[in-house]
Amino acid sequence: MWRMSLSTGYRACLGCRTGGSKGTWSFHAVRTCSAPALPAGRITTLQAVDFWRRHFEERGVTEPEQSSQYIIAHLLGAKMIESLGQERLTEFLSQKEMKQLWQLCTKRLSRMPVQYVIEEWDFRDLTLKMRPPVFIPRPETEELVGLVLTDLQGNSGPGVDADSQQTCLEVGCGSGAVSLSLLKSLPQLKAFALDRSQDAVDLTRENALRLGLSDRLKIYLVDVMKDPETVLSLCRSFSAVVSNPPYLFSEDMMSLQPEIFRFEDHAALDGGADGLNVIKRLLTLAPHILSNHGRMYLEVDPRHPPLICEWVDVNVKELQYVETRHDISGRPRFCILQKEKSHKDYEQESD
Amino acid sequence: MLLLVTHISRMFSVTRGVFWRAAPRLSPLLRPTPPGLTCVSSVGKKDLVDFPVLIEDELEEQFVRGSGPGGQATNKTSNCVVLKHIPTGIVVKCHQTRSVDTNRKRAREIMREKLDVAYKGELSEVLVKKKESVLKKDEKRRRVNENLERKRQFKESLSADSKPENDTA
């Protein structure tokens, strides 16, 4: 087992778990990360930002400037370096601050994502705690929430019934970003969140408590691949089902950047050979857990939408493909489907 | 058996949610796109100010997500949003927060403010020109009246001079 020669509290690199050819070892091998020495004299905030930016650059750490800025800002109690006043920026860092800064930046040297280094990140209007290996919410997923809100916030339309309670289900909640975001924006909503990872369930619970939303959120440790029946037992009439399921193609896992490969849960990423394992399971479950006209919202790989459309047409009656939406980069990213129970289905049931 | 035809939205035309919908009495879809700008009372924090409504089709948005494939396959912290208003060429850059979604919303708020200034700028130019022409007319009228008055007084003085009672010392 590799052990990084860094200080305390360090997980062994995730890259070690996967075996493989020599090629993969060299790509994912973790070089010993020796931190630069603490400067002898005192340095100002701005000087520290610059110091670490240069050092990250030298070590091939991606986003050297942003990394340096986010870490230092966070250490000094701000979210963005721009929030710190001119005074603070030209002020010397205390000995304690220097020490803490060095500890944090050393973590970043090992390619730990900034979000894990500072143990938090923002998602829409929420600040969430982050902790490896729980999946870090991506900016694209903020749009997924927007799509659900558009439908649930309207006076009428899919999933909206003024008289009955709106409920939503999230599969693969991770840090809780999606569910908590929906709850924050829809005071009347009740949400169920599932994840197969205990770490994820714990983190979602923690974030829910911090945000004062735990009274409207039920969290369950469930693996939708192993125990789909458990999902059926929760509720059979969700207004909406939303998911950012693992959707990467197995063959693409090996070329992931170190930030992801070494630190994030591979099970949250790997969707199988065609990236559709979990997605297909969700599509199959959808008609059994959605209320009539209720919708499923999925974030997917850009290659998936036409494949999903076709697969649903053939394999899932009662589920209609509504539309594909693109993300801010212009890639097909979201699939919206709707449960439509036809009269034929009602007749068949009564037989 | 497909209920609806698969709809692929345009690359840069992202349909937004409730946030950017126009005030109830005006639907951006029904209203013809004016070459200039339409001012509508916005329902929001600055209720008293009429900011222009943004038409998403007139905007081009750029977000640099690095060269990677995006989504789960990428983990980047860059979140700067660049918004361009095509008709006026005005560009807004926003990286105020750590949330891309929030930055997009803020960029649009800032854009509306900038368009408002641009619009009012145009408007005041028109007013100034109008004012100028009005002033010119007034000036002309005044001069004409003055001339008439001078002529009248001259005529009066001529008739006064010819009166017999006038003594000259």
Side-chain angles (χ1 to χ4, degrees):
Chain A
M1 277 281 245
W2 284 78
R3 268 242 167 253
M4 288 190 280
S5 61
L6 291 167
S7 47
T8 58
Y10 237 120
R11 294 170 56 93
C13 168
L14 273 181
C16 328
R17 286 213 216 123
T18 59
S21 61
K22 274 189 187 160
T24 60
W25 277 113
S26 58
F27 181 71
H28 292 292
V30 182
R31 263 178 276 113
T32 308
C33 307
S34 51
L38 274 148
R42 301 184 77 186
I43 55 172
T44 66
T45 307
L46 281 175
Q47 285 169 338
V49 170
D50 201 55
F51 178 96
W52 277 103
R53 177 190 55 76
R54 279 184 280 113
H55 206 71
F56 288 147
E57 268 171 15
E58 281 165 29
R59 295 296 184 87
V61 173
T62 52
E63 299 189 304
E65 188 170 36
Q66 283 108 313
S67 300
S68 181
Q69 288 175 341
Y70 279 128
I71 292 171
I72 291 171
H74 176 77
L75 179 66
L76 300 178
K79 289 189 177 185
M80 311 286 292
I81 198 88
E82 290 86 352
S83 313
L84 297 172
Q86 200 53 34
E87 221 183 288
R88 177 71 260 210
L89 289 171
T90 49
E91 215 175 276
F92 286 123
L93 292 174
S94 69
Q95 291 285 58
K96 187 181 173 190
E97 283 164 350
M98 291 262 278
K99 195 172 167 223
Q100 286 170 330
L101 180 61
W102 250 246
Q103 278 176 350
L104 293 174
C105 289
T106 300
K107 288 184 181 177
R108 182 68 189 117
L109 277 178
S110 71
R111 306 299 293 273
M112 179 183 269
V114 167
Q115 300 94 332
Y116 287 155
V117 171
I118 64 175
E119 295 177 327
E120 71 172 42
W121 201 243
D122 292 342
F123 183 82
R124 289 173 58 90
D125 52 353
L126 304 177
T127 299
L128 300 163
K129 276 270 154 272
M130 294 286 132
R131 200 156 50 231
V134 181
F135 180 82
I136 296 165
R138 307 300 200 247
E140 285 87 349
T141 315
E142 290 180 318
E143 292 186 66
L144 179 66
V145 172
L147 295 177
V148 181
L149 285 176
T150 300
D151 288 344
L152 293 185
Q153 266 168 346
N155 294 320
S156 62
V160 182
D161 181 344
D163 299 324
S164 68
Q165 168 73 62
Q166 277 185 337
T167 50
C168 71
L169 170 70
E170 183 188 3
V171 179
C173 53
S175 57
V178 170
S179 290
L180 294 171
S181 217
L182 290 171
L183 287 172
K184 178 95 190 282
S185 299
L186 298 168
Q188 299 309 310
L189 181 72
K190 289 223 160 74
F192 288 64
L194 313 176
D195 206 286
R196 60 173 264 186
S197 152
Q198 187 65 57
D199 290 324
V201 164
D202 292 344
L203 186 57
T204 296
R205 194 163 281 140
E206 188 180 331
N207 279 322
L209 281 162
R210 294 176 119 256
L211 294 168
L213 297 167
S214 50
D215 57 326
R216 288 188 285 133
L217 179 66
K218 285 195 165 71
I219 310 164
Y220 298 91
L221 180 70
V222 176
D223 186 331
V224 80
M225 299 305 289
K226 292 200 183 118
D227 310 301
E229 321 78 34
T230 316
V231 185
L232 298 177
S233 68
L234 292 173
C235 171
R236 305 298 293 259
S237 58
F238 285 109
S239 321
V241 174
V242 58
S243 184
N244 176 22
Y247 59 68
L248 298 184
F249 291 49
S250 297
E251 65 185 6
D252 294 333
M253 293 295 295
M254 299 314 297
S255 52
L256 289 172
Q257 64 190 99
E259 281 80 5
I260 305 176
F261 192 89
R262 292 179 198 170
F263 295 93
E264 285 187 295
D265 187 356
H266 288 202
L269 298 156
D270 192 337
D274 60 2
L276 287 169
N277 288 2
V278 182
I279 290 171
K280 282 178 176 170
R281 175 54 56 89
L282 293 176
L283 295 167
T284 307
L285 281 169
H288 304 282
I289 55 178
L290 281 168
S291 56
N292 200 14
H293 313 304
R295 285 184 166 184
M296 172 168 274
Y297 305 81
L298 300 172
E299 180 181 321
V300 301
D301 181 277
R303 290 163 283 187
H304 285 158
L307 303 173
I308 290 172
C309 188
E310 205 192 308
W311 193 82
V312 163
D313 191 35
V314 172
N315 297 284
V316 194
K317 67 171 186 173
E318 292 189 352
L319 196 62
Q320 306 286 358
Y321 196 92
V322 176
E323 63 174 336
T324 303
R325 299 298 292 262
H326 287 52
D327 63 27
I328 188 175
S329 306
R331 299 186 173 106
R333 184 62 70 184
F334 308 107
C335 299
I336 304 179
L337 306 104
Q338 185 161 306
K339 173 175 173 177
E340 289 299 340
K341 209 163 176 173
S342 69
H343 286 299
K344 217 190 287 178
D345 300 322
Y346 283 115
E347 282 170 30
Q348 282 175 357
E349 272 180 19
S350 63
D351 282 347
Chain B
M1 281 199 275
L2 288 173
L3 185 68
L4 290 163
V5 176
T6 304
H7 165 75
I8 312 282
S9 54
R10 276 178 54 208
M11 196 124 166
F12 289 107
S13 147
V14 180
T15 308
R16 302 307 299 163
V18 185
F19 194 93
W20 294 295
R21 284 196 194 136
R25 57 192 161 100
L26 262 173
S27 164
L29 296 171
L30 299 174
R31 178 166 40 100
T33 308
L37 299 153
T38 308
C39 274
V40 175
S41 293
S42 66
V43 181
K45 282 183 186 169
K46 298 178 184 175
D47 269 355
L48 301 172
V49 188
D50 288 327
F51 282 153
V53 167
L54 287 181
I55 299 163
E56 282 295 326
D57 280 351
E58 290 179 347
L59 297 175
E60 237 176 52
E61 194 169 30
Q62 232 183 76
F63 167 56
V64 179
R65 187 87 168 94
S67 52
Q72 290 173 2
T74 305
N75 186 336
K76 294 269 151 73
T77 56
S78 57
N79 53 22
C80 182
V81 172
V82 181
L83 197 61
K84 182 179 176 185
H85 184 249
I86 303 164
T88 59
I90 293 175
V91 176
V92 169
K93 205 170 163 183
C94 180
H95 58 108
Q96 289 180 11
T97 77
R98 300 187 300 205
S99 154
V100 172
D101 190 69
T102 307
N103 288 343
R104 294 177 76 187
K105 287 175 171 141
R106 295 231 180 143
R108 282 162 172 77
E109 279 171 25
I110 297 165
M111 179 64 82
R112 291 180 72 193
E113 287 172 16
K114 288 202 167 180
L115 290 177
D116 187 56
V117 169
Y119 181 64
K120 285 217 172 91
E122 277 177 34
L123 196 61
S124 62
E125 219 176 279
V126 168
L127 282 175
V128 163
K129 282 194 180 141
K130 202 176 174 186
K131 216 173 172 182
E132 271 174 24
S133 82
V134 167
L135 283 170
K136 275 183 191 159
K137 283 180 187 164
D138 282 346
E139 185 61 37
K140 195 175 179 185
R141 203 175 298 124
R142 192 185 62 82
R143 266 187 258 121
V144 166
N145 287 342
E146 259 179 20
N147 279 336
L148 286 171
E149 184 59 30
R150 244 185 264 129
K151 282 177 184 170
R152 190 185 67 76
Q153 280 176 359
F154 186 71
K155 271 187 183 165
E156 265 184 279
S157 65
L158 282 176
S159 61
D161 276 346
S162 64
K163 280 182 185 170
E165 293 91 359
N166 274 5
D167 283 318
T168 49

